Amino acid sequence: MSCDYTKTTQCQERTKDPLEMFHSGHLVKICAPMVRYSKLAFRTLVRKYDCDLCYTPMIVAADFVRSIKARDSEFTTNKGDCPLIVQFAANDAQLLSDAARIVCPYANGIDINCGCPQRWAMTEGYGACLINKPELVQDMVKQVRSQVENPKFSVSIKIRIHDDLTRTVDLCRKAEATGVSWITVHGRNTEERHQPVHYDAIKIIKENLSVPVIANGDIKSLKEAENVQEITGTNGIMVARGLLANPAMFAGYKETPLKCIWDWVDIALEHGTPFMCFHHHLMYMMERITSKQEKKVFNVLSSTTAVLDYLTDHYSM
């Protein structure tokens, strides 16, 4: 499968304020930023199944600003890809502002990654280490606010929590005072991976802020999303792995329907999705609906033709 990326085009709804969704009183359903996975083709798929707002994968702002090649490969969108938030990894307010100005005509806002716990990101001063640098976070929010001319362009942050939750609340209040649009809280600390999510902590953060708060972490069905919103009082729910396993989750499906699988095939082929990404998405989607023997066969297929033949033979609608 060729890698013929769709050219970046201006978002037809970029003048729409994403904040309006969070004040609608309805559950706002959000596709999380996922490295390699939340790209244009997958965003197109989940939007067909009631996803309200999508994030790009994390993009390193410094590389994005300095390299045309990085811009062309890391950020792809089209007119139907709205509303859209571009997530950046950054530790420099001016570079982040420069990156925000570049994407402003093509997106509804940017998000600052303050939650990635991977060692490389924290070593570079990105991601979750920023929850310990509230003044830097404030500076980055302030700079983007002052340098992007569109007043409806959102500036949000995605964070993890501290063991001492008062520090997290303090960080959030400082970001709020500087003009952050909303805050997404992954309810784990930087050391936790598969431990239970601290929804009680998200609830406390929400109760201490006026800006919208989004809950994130281990949500695998629409029912779970609704329950977490009820527990936390948050304005929206962000999902990562749950959507990989079932892109139709937000439409109420308990497992990936066949139509969604074939929708992915059509969208991926149309967008020229590289084979590895195309195949991996299908492996995730079919995890719950295939037997161990079927997985052994399907997961080692090595070409688009072989995958299409397999799906036609075993999963025709």
Side-chain angles (χ1 to χ4, degrees):
M1 186 178 293
S2 67
C3 187
D4 182 20
Y5 292 103
T6 305
K7 291 183 179 179
T8 298
T9 53
Q10 193 170 63
C11 175
Q12 63 185 0
E13 296 182 24
R14 80 173 185 89
T15 56
K16 185 176 179 180
D17 187 350
L19 272 173
E20 292 176 6
M21 292 189 297
F22 295 116
H23 296 299
S24 67
H26 301 293
L27 172 67
V28 180
K29 296 166 285 190
I30 304 164
C31 176
M34 292 178 278
V35 175
R36 294 185 300 276
Y37 292 119
S38 58
K39 293 193 173 184
L40 175 60
F42 188 69
R43 299 195 300 266
T44 302
L45 177 66
V46 296
R47 290 185 195 278
K48 287 177 66 75
Y49 290 91
D50 293 353
C51 184
D52 299 312
L53 178 64
C54 291
Y55 281 52
T56 69
M58 180 184 75
I59 300 169
V60 177
D63 296 340
F64 189 79
V65 169
R66 293 166 181 158
S67 167
I68 294 175
K69 183 177 179 181
R71 293 200 287 275
D72 290 343
S73 64
E74 295 295 323
F75 179 58
T76 309
T77 187
N78 61 24
K79 288 184 178 180
D81 190 28
C82 294
L84 177 66
I85 304 300
V86 182
Q87 190 188 66
F88 284 113
N91 57 17
D92 180 282
Q94 189 55 56
L95 281 173
L96 178 64
S97 297
D98 292 342
R101 288 204 305 273
I102 292 169
V103 301
C104 182
Y106 314 105
N108 298 81
I110 63 123
D111 182 81
I112 307 168
N113 186 321
C114 305
C116 178
Q118 293 184 42
R119 192 163 298 168
W120 76 266
M122 295 180 69
T123 300
E124 294 291 329
Y126 305 138
C129 72
L130 292 173
I131 65 173
N132 299 315
K133 301 177 181 179
E135 289 76 19
L136 176 56
V137 174
Q138 281 186 297
D139 190 30
M140 289 194 288
V141 172
K142 189 185 300 181
Q143 287 269 29
V144 176
R145 276 267 172 259
S146 66
Q147 295 189 27
V148 172
E149 293 182 0
N150 180 3
K152 292 184 177 180
F153 191 77
S154 65
V155 185
S156 58
I157 61 174
K158 184 173 186 288
I159 66 170
R160 284 192 171 227
I161 61 173
H162 298 87
D163 289 331
D164 178 1
L165 199 60
T166 59
R167 295 180 64 197
T168 314
V169 171
D170 178 65
L171 165 72
C172 293
R173 283 176 171 167
K174 286 178 176 175
E176 181 179 61
T178 315
V180 78
S181 304
W182 65 81
I183 297 173
T184 302
V185 183
H186 182 96
R188 293 186 175 101
N189 66 36
T190 56
E191 302 301 322
E192 293 174 323
R193 296 295 183 271
H194 304 292
Q195 292 87 341
V197 177
H198 304 288
Y199 295 121
D200 55 335
I202 300 176
K203 181 177 188 290
I204 291 169
I205 292 166
K206 169 61 182 171
E207 289 171 346
N208 279 274
L209 298 176
S210 298
V211 296
V213 174
I214 298 165
N216 172 232
D218 273 5
I219 298 162
K220 298 183 176 68
S221 70
L222 179 59
K223 182 65 175 174
E224 285 184 16
E226 292 168 344
N227 288 343
V228 169
Q229 185 191 35
E230 187 173 343
I231 291 166
T232 60
T234 48
N235 305 84
I237 299 296
M238 177 181 284
V239 178
R241 285 176 294 182
L243 277 177
L244 284 181
N246 179 9
M249 186 194 104
F250 283 143
Y253 291 92
K254 294 182 179 178
E255 58 187 30
T256 310
L258 283 184
K259 184 178 186 308
C260 183
I261 290 172
W262 284 103
D263 281 342
W264 169 246
V265 170
D266 292 341
I267 291 167
L269 293 175
E270 179 185 348
H271 288 274
T273 302
F275 173 74
M276 188 172 292
C277 182
F278 168 67
H279 190 208
H280 280 187
H281 272 295
L282 286 169
M283 288 163 62
Y284 279 115
M285 291 181 207
M286 296 168 65
E287 175 70 24
R288 299 179 191 172
I289 62 175
T290 52
S291 67
K292 287 185 179 180
Q293 186 57 42
E294 287 177 315
K295 288 182 181 66
K296 286 181 181 178
V297 175
F298 184 80
N299 292 358
V300 297
L301 297 176
S302 57
S303 71
T304 301
T305 301
V307 168
L308 295 177
D309 287 345
Y310 184 93
L311 292 175
T312 300
D313 292 342
H314 295 83
Y315 293 97
S316 292
M317 292 182 64

